[in-house]
Amino acid sequence: MKTYEIVYGNAFTINRGNYENEKPFYSQKVVIQSETDIDVKAEYAKLRSIVDELATAQYNASKLDQSGLRIRIKDGKKYVSVTSVTGGGKKLDIDPEYAIRGTELHRMFNVFVDTGKWEEPSVKLERLNYSDLKYKEFFEANKENIDFSVNQQNIEVWNDDHLFSGEIDIICQVNSIKTLADFKSGSWSWEQLAAYWKAANDPDIKQLAIFDVKKNKLEVIAVTSPKARLAYENFLKKRGAINAIYGI
């Protein structure tokens, strides 16, 4: 009777910042007794596959925890938010007042869609001004182009093929065409809207639109346009890069 003792270990470093690192170590040992020779390399490979899978899972989970990626969960699956993808999976250093103003403007926009009236901002800002964004002027200038009489607001959508999700601001009529639109008070890209459209999976949506109240401009493209197609292709490249980095 021969006794074989096979051990495999994997150590790695997780950088937590501020000069603090974690150094997890995974190992496993098997003891095999056999009257005949065994394939030691094969047994070692089995151990290695088990340990490396555990180590890789913890390493990816640690990177994901530090990444700032927004994740939604549905049916036990993790879906990366569209805005996390378009941001390249990086933590965005956003001035809190910009975030507050954007949130408040979206709230006021929802009320306007429902009632046709603008509420006054309910959150006071110290440095920024709501009046710098021409949201009232934008909708007054485009009241003949944009029809809210039939609409859907704040629609959560999911793409099961590439595991991403997001929330559409509104689906309404623009120039009498069913349109997926986003209300923007800062920077934006067509990649975000193209991803929302794919996740919405609604063949009746024919256009994407940006209500740009910063530049006081209505931007519209057809979902079949080369610009929309390229935007979605670029989005998928970024989605693939996040999967390669974080394993999600």
Side-chain angles (χ1 to χ4, degrees):
M1 181 73 68
K2 294 183 179 180
T3 300
Y4 298 84
E5 185 176 292
I6 304 169
V7 181
Y8 175 77
N10 186 338
F12 57 97
T13 300
I14 299 172
N15 187 349
R16 291 293 187 184
N18 298 321
Y19 306 102
E20 295 179 1
N21 292 327
E22 292 180 15
K23 296 185 177 181
F25 177 73
Y26 285 88
S27 69
Q28 190 161 341
K29 177 176 74 173
V30 295
V31 177
I32 302 172
Q33 291 185 325
S34 175
E35 295 181 353
T36 60
D37 293 340
I38 69 169
D39 188 339
V40 175
K41 289 184 178 180
E43 295 297 332
Y44 182 82
K46 288 180 185 178
L47 278 187
R48 181 173 181 174
S49 66
I50 294 170
V51 172
D52 283 357
E53 183 177 351
L54 291 170
T56 300
Q58 181 173 345
Y59 182 69
N60 287 336
S62 299
K63 288 196 299 181
L64 183 61
D65 181 55
Q66 297 176 72
S67 71
L69 287 176
R70 293 180 59 202
I71 305 294
R72 291 180 174 89
I73 307 293
K74 186 180 78 166
D75 299 330
K77 296 179 181 178
K78 295 180 180 179
Y79 293 71
V80 182
S81 81
V82 168
T83 51
S84 286
V85 175
T86 56
K90 300 176 182 177
K91 281 187 176 180
L92 301 179
D93 186 16
I94 300 175
D95 186 321
E97 284 219 335
Y98 280 102
I100 291 170
R101 184 172 68 174
T103 299
E104 182 65 0
L105 284 170
H106 271 78
R107 182 192 66 79
M108 293 158 58
F109 167 67
N110 290 337
V111 173
F112 172 73
V113 170
D114 289 335
T115 68
K117 298 179 181 179
W118 286 104
E119 288 192 347
E120 291 301 312
S122 61
V123 181
K124 184 179 178 180
L125 302 174
E126 298 295 329
R127 290 174 289 100
L128 300 180
N129 295 304
Y130 290 98
S131 59
D132 290 341
L133 302 174
K134 308 301 180 183
Y135 53 96
K136 294 181 181 179
E137 293 86 342
F138 172 86
F139 287 103
E140 178 63 27
N142 290 285
K143 62 183 178 182
E144 301 300 325
N145 308 98
I146 303 171
D147 180 5
F148 294 129
S149 60
V150 177
N151 73 83
Q152 298 171 270
Q153 296 183 63
N154 306 319
I155 313 131
E156 200 168 47
V157 291
W158 310 78
N159 183 282
D160 294 326
D161 292 332
H162 301 286
L163 296 180
F164 63 82
S165 70
E167 186 173 290
I168 299 168
D169 279 355
I170 192 165
I171 296 173
C172 59
Q173 297 281 319
V174 176
N175 299 322
S176 301
I177 299 172
K178 189 172 183 179
T179 303
L180 186 160
D182 214 64
F183 179 84
K184 292 295 186 183
S185 57
S187 60
W188 58 271
S189 76
W190 287 117
E191 295 172 9
Q192 180 182 352
L193 269 73
Y196 286 166
W197 172 64
K198 285 289 187 179
N201 195 29
D202 182 346
D204 293 330
I205 296 173
K206 304 298 183 183
Q207 289 185 152
L208 307 176
I210 293 290
F211 301 160
D212 190 336
V213 299
K214 183 177 182 180
K215 296 181 179 179
N216 195 11
K217 190 174 182 181
L218 173 63
E219 300 271 6
V220 180
I221 62 172
V223 296
T224 56
S225 68
K227 185 176 287 188
R229 183 169 59 252
L230 179 61
Y232 187 61
E233 289 174 357
N234 289 337
F235 175 84
L236 288 184
K237 289 177 183 177
K238 291 181 179 180
R239 178 66 185 92
I242 286 176
N243 183 59
I245 295 170
Y246 301 109
I248 185 174

